Amino acid sequence: MLEQLLIFTRGGLILWTCKELGNALKGSPIDTLIRSCLLEERSGAASYNYDAPGAAYTLKWTFHNDLGLVFVAVYQRILHLLYVDELLAMAKREFSEIYDPKRMNYNDFDETFRQLRKEAEARAEELKKSKHVGKPVNDGKKQGQVKKGGFEVGNKKKSEANDGGDGDTGKSYKLENGHSNGNHVNIEGSRAVVANSKENASSNVGAFDVSKLQKLRSKGEKKTDTVVNKGSKVHPKKKITKKNRVWDDSPQESKLDFTDPLEENVNENIEVVGTDHGESMMDKEEIISSDSEDESEEVGKESKPDTKKKGWFSSMFQSIAGKANLEKSDLEPALKALKDRLMTKNVAEEIAEKLCESVAASLEGKKQASFTRISSTVQAAMEEALVRILTPRRSIDILRDVHAAKEQRKPYVVVFVGVNGVGKSTNLAKVAYWLLQHEISVMMAACDTFRSGAVEQLRTHARRLQIPIFEKGYEKDPAIVAKEAIQEAACNGSDVVLVDTAGRMQDNEPLMRALSKLVYLNNPDLVLFVGEALVGNDAVDQLSKFNQKLADLSTSPNPRLIDGILLTKFDTIDDKVGAALSMVYISGAPVMFVGCGQSYTDLKKLNVKSIVKTLLK
């Protein structure tokens, strides 16, 4: 049964709800749909599943882009209602006829909707009955064909003799040859086919011959035997290594080892940084060049359809007068060009496709303005969508959160997670340097007890920055080490604890379980995912599986997921900035830091306008 149907404007004004249904929805499925699907440019999806305590809903929707209306239907997921799409389409058609922007009351639509629902339910029942009636007949035919193919292959001559009598038997005979001797080959059937391969040679022109396969297998076995026998006789040759040429007058070679054997003066060689490196790039405003390049020309050239060529007068007239309503076929060429462009900028293919579907859904049926081309309309819609996705939905002011935690007399805890080799420890030191610039006391926690040299690496950063480090060595439980580090920071009065964790692949379940335990046990204020800007399609897999594992392996009913993203190696990608879009789209978490170099000052904020301009350039 349908739980609810709502009609509201894109501004959020509810115009009509079905009073006849009147079911109180558990949770807030409509708000969640708007927040996490419609505003995040995921409206190209077919449906949205919402889980609430004691209920599981499926939501379907459609737009009237010209009028700016949204139609949403909610029903129990277990029901699988077949008529919802048709009901939404009919409600959209009928309501658009009576819609007036100045009108607020649509009580007269109740009776119209009641009739529409009855019609849709009746059609769905008829469709279900027709399917039930048609199933046994088809199943019977298929069973008969399988039986013939499996056990009655020897009686082919009888069927050949009676072929001219009945048209249906002729059809079944053709199907029999096509399926039993071709695609559906079981053990008994394959033996029969091998036995009767000469009889059926004329009829089985396109079928697969099992006897040929057996001959090929036997030949392959013989060849492998001969190769093994030959190999057993011939001894394997030893690998010949080339020796260096020795000249008569040349001195003896000395081993090139320039490592310092003295371990006592290690601390003296470490440079103390303090505040010598200057101001961090986080506190500098990035200047964007104001020269606006008109990219619509290029999109227009790429998106020319290959169908009919229009004359210059008709195209000019259409651009002046504007088109009545944009159709999907009109948008496809421009969207394909934009999708290819996004993929060349390193955006994951799945994300680029979903974005284009969402833009198409927002433009379909909308009236095109005068003196505009479809390509420029599509590009403007895509630009608006990209800005909306990349703009953080919540505050990412860490300094304010740190001061708020300081007032409560507890340390602000940040956990750095990610795959191997992305630069977690290095960028942790950059964040520590930036916090030191704002006179915030920082302590590092060496919780990477898995990788050799990880504790020494963090210890080196701590010495250079002159900040305390909490370490317990290797092969310890990282969750316990982090807990003791937080307790130590609370005693010493440190404002922020930066927790370094081991790099782990998203499919490594033991390490992911340890990470889930660390997050659950310590409940950090911020979980930062450190990812490379170099990745393409793998960004989707990494972030989605990290979130999935943190949710699945957590013992808490409300598990902590990734709160923010730190994008590293941003200075190595030129204009291939698509990883930022892929990561934000798949996780919904904002990019809080961008690493763009090797020194402590090379950390900056993500400039959304610059990224969008680069993606569409």
Side-chain angles (χ1 to χ4, degrees):
M1 181 182 173
L2 197 67
E3 295 289 322
Q4 190 55 271
L5 193 137
L6 287 87
I7 303 173
F8 55 92
T9 64
R10 286 188 179 271
L13 179 65
I14 298 176
L15 299 174
W16 181 84
T17 57
C18 186
K19 299 185 182 73
E20 186 181 342
L21 297 173
N23 297 324
L25 299 175
K26 296 180 181 179
S28 53
I30 305 294
D31 293 341
T32 309
L33 172 73
I34 294 169
R35 188 169 55 251
S36 61
C37 192
L38 302 185
L39 290 179
E40 291 294 316
E41 293 302 325
R42 293 179 174 87
S43 55
S47 61
Y48 177 76
N49 293 329
Y50 175 80
D51 294 311
Y57 297 118
T58 296
L59 290 85
K60 291 195 172 184
W61 62 91
T62 186
F63 300 116
H64 196 299
N65 291 311
D66 196 22
L67 300 178
L69 302 177
V70 184
F71 300 77
V72 180
V74 187
Y75 61 93
Q76 293 282 351
R77 193 184 308 168
I78 198 170
L79 295 178
H80 299 290
L81 300 181
L82 302 175
Y83 62 85
V84 175
D85 293 324
E86 186 181 359
L87 180 62
L88 281 172
M90 290 192 295
K92 171 184 168 182
R93 186 181 64 248
E94 295 295 331
F95 190 83
S96 60
E97 291 179 3
I98 63 170
Y99 174 69
D100 185 3
K102 297 177 183 178
R103 183 179 171 187
M104 301 297 295
N105 190 0
Y106 291 92
N107 292 329
D108 55 339
F109 190 67
D110 293 347
E111 183 61 33
T112 308
F113 178 74
R114 194 179 296 113
Q115 295 295 330
L116 294 177
R117 189 156 66 95
K118 286 180 181 178
E119 287 179 22
E121 287 175 354
R123 287 181 190 173
E125 285 295 325
E126 289 176 8
L127 186 65
K128 199 182 289 184
K129 285 178 183 178
S130 64
K131 281 186 178 179
H132 282 303
V133 170
K135 272 185 179 177
V137 177
N138 296 333
D139 293 340
K141 283 185 180 179
K142 286 181 181 176
Q143 287 173 2
Q145 290 163 12
V146 171
K147 285 179 182 177
K148 286 180 183 179
F151 301 102
E152 298 182 6
V153 182
N155 298 327
K156 292 282 178 73
K157 290 180 182 178
K158 287 184 180 180
S159 62
E160 286 175 7
N162 298 329
D163 187 24
D166 194 1
D168 292 332
T169 55
K171 288 180 184 176
S172 65
Y173 171 67
K174 287 177 185 177
L175 285 169
E176 183 182 329
N177 284 336
H179 288 288
S180 64
N181 298 333
N183 297 330
H184 303 286
V185 180
N186 54 14
I187 297 169
E188 295 177 4
S190 62
R191 287 175 186 167
V193 171
V194 172
N196 300 324
S197 59
K198 291 181 181 178
E199 287 183 12
N200 300 330
S202 59
S203 59
N204 294 337
V205 177
F208 185 77
D209 196 351
V210 182
S211 59
K212 288 182 181 180
L213 180 62
Q214 290 180 349
K215 286 178 184 179
L216 288 171
R217 282 179 181 170
S218 61
K219 283 180 183 179
E221 287 171 4
K222 288 177 183 177
K223 285 182 181 179
T224 50
D225 293 339
T226 53
V227 169
V228 170
N229 294 332
K230 286 179 183 178
S232 60
K233 292 177 184 177
V234 181
H235 296 287
K237 292 182 180 180
K238 291 182 179 180
K239 191 176 180 182
I240 301 169
T241 56
K242 186 178 179 181
K243 294 180 180 179
N244 293 332
R245 178 175 292 183
V246 180
W247 300 98
D248 295 334
D249 300 333
S250 62
Q252 290 185 354
E253 289 184 359
S254 60
K255 191 175 181 181
L256 298 174
D257 187 4
F258 297 106
T259 54
D260 190 1
L262 299 175
E263 295 291 336
E264 298 175 358
N265 299 327
V266 173
N267 296 337
E268 296 177 7
N269 296 331
I270 295 175
E271 180 191 353
V272 176
V273 175
T275 57
D276 295 339
H277 276 227
E279 189 182 3
S280 174
M281 293 176 69
M282 281 289 293
D283 303 317
K284 295 177 182 176
E285 290 293 331
E286 188 176 354
I287 300 168
I288 307 174
S289 58
S290 59
D291 51 334
S292 58
E293 300 174 3
D294 187 16
E295 299 296 333
S296 58
E297 296 286 339
E298 191 177 341
V299 177
K301 289 175 185 176
E302 290 176 5
S303 61
K304 280 184 181 177
D306 296 330
T307 55
K308 282 197 236 183
K309 291 183 180 178
K310 296 181 179 179
W312 66 271
F313 182 78
S314 60
S315 60
M316 184 181 70
F317 180 77
Q318 185 174 321
S319 65
I320 293 171
K323 194 168 180 180
N325 286 311
L326 290 171
E327 297 175 2
K328 197 170 183 180
S329 58
D330 301 325
L331 301 169
E332 278 177 359
L335 287 172
K336 185 180 181 304
L338 267 181
K339 179 188 170 184
D340 294 342
R341 182 178 297 181
L342 289 173
M343 287 172 63
T344 58
K345 303 292 183 181
N346 220 14
V347 178
E349 183 182 2
E350 178 188 350
I351 305 300
E353 193 169 342
K354 286 181 178 178
L355 272 171
C356 290
E357 287 175 1
S358 180
V359 170
S362 66
L363 290 177
E364 192 175 349
K366 197 173 184 180
K367 189 174 181 180
Q368 186 184 356
S370 303
F371 298 101
T372 56
R373 285 176 299 180
I374 294 174
S375 56
S376 56
T377 305
V378 169
Q379 182 154 352
M382 180 64 79
E383 185 176 351
E384 185 184 341
L386 294 177
V387 170
R388 190 160 52 245
I389 291 167
L390 291 171
T391 303
R393 290 179 291 173
R394 59 178 180 81
S395 172
I396 57 171
D397 190 356
I398 293 179
L399 297 176
R400 189 189 66 180
D401 297 339
V402 169
H403 289 300
K406 194 176 179 180
E407 288 176 1
Q408 297 175 6
R409 295 184 179 179
K410 66 173 187 177
Y412 186 83
V413 183
V414 183
V415 175
F416 292 77
V417 303
V419 299
N420 307 80
V422 293
K424 288 183 295 298
S425 303
T426 305
N427 284 276
L428 181 146
K430 292 179 186 179
V431 173
Y433 180 78
W434 171 65
L435 292 171
L436 288 172
Q437 295 284 303
H438 292 272
E439 298 178 355
I440 293 172
S441 59
V442 183
M443 188 177 81
M444 293 181 179
C447 296
D448 186 355
T449 61
F450 185 77
R451 175 173 66 89
S452 300
V455 176
E456 288 79 7
Q457 181 185 3
L458 211 63
R459 192 187 300 156
T460 304
H461 287 304
R463 284 175 185 161
R464 296 189 72 194
L465 295 171
Q466 293 182 308
I467 59 176
I469 179 172
F470 186 88
E471 54 174 287
K472 286 287 185 180
Y474 296 98
E475 296 183 359
K476 302 290 191 301
D477 188 354
I480 303 300
V481 176
K483 189 172 184 180
E484 292 177 1
I486 296 167
Q487 291 172 355
E488 181 75 17
C491 294
N492 295 341
S494 297
D495 299 330
V496 177
V497 180
L498 302 179
V499 180
D500 186 30
T501 62
R504 65 205 76 210
M505 295 307 293
Q506 60 269 25
D507 298 320
N508 191 332
E509 188 165 329
L511 285 177
M512 289 302 300
R513 193 177 294 277
L515 179 64
S516 179
K517 179 185 175 183
L518 186 149
V519 172
Y520 169 69
L521 193 64
N522 297 286
N523 191 24
D525 297 282
L526 185 65
V527 180
L528 269 184
F529 178 84
V530 185
E532 286 181 328
L534 303 167
V535 294
N537 288 325
D538 199 38
V540 177
D541 189 53
Q542 286 177 12
L543 262 168
S544 58
K545 286 190 176 176
F546 256 82
N547 267 335
Q548 183 185 347
K549 292 289 183 183
L550 285 174
D552 293 346
L553 301 176
S554 177
T555 54
S556 172
N558 298 315
R560 283 292 302 279
L561 303 179
I562 290 163
D563 300 316
I565 298 166
L566 196 158
L567 210 56
T568 66
K569 306 177 187 178
F570 208 74
D571 54 322
T572 63
I573 56 170
D574 194 24
D575 63 342
K576 305 291 189 292
V577 295
L581 178 64
S582 300
M583 288 182 178
V584 172
Y585 189 90
I586 202 66
S587 66
V591 176
M592 306 186 78
F593 300 100
V594 174
C596 54
Q598 298 181 5
S599 65
Y600 289 127
T601 57
D602 293 330
L603 191 74
K604 62 181 182 180
K605 298 175 184 176
L606 184 77
N607 194 311
V608 174
K609 291 181 181 177
S610 175
I611 295 294
V612 172
K613 183 180 176 183
T614 307
L615 283 170
L616 296 177
K617 188 165 67 175

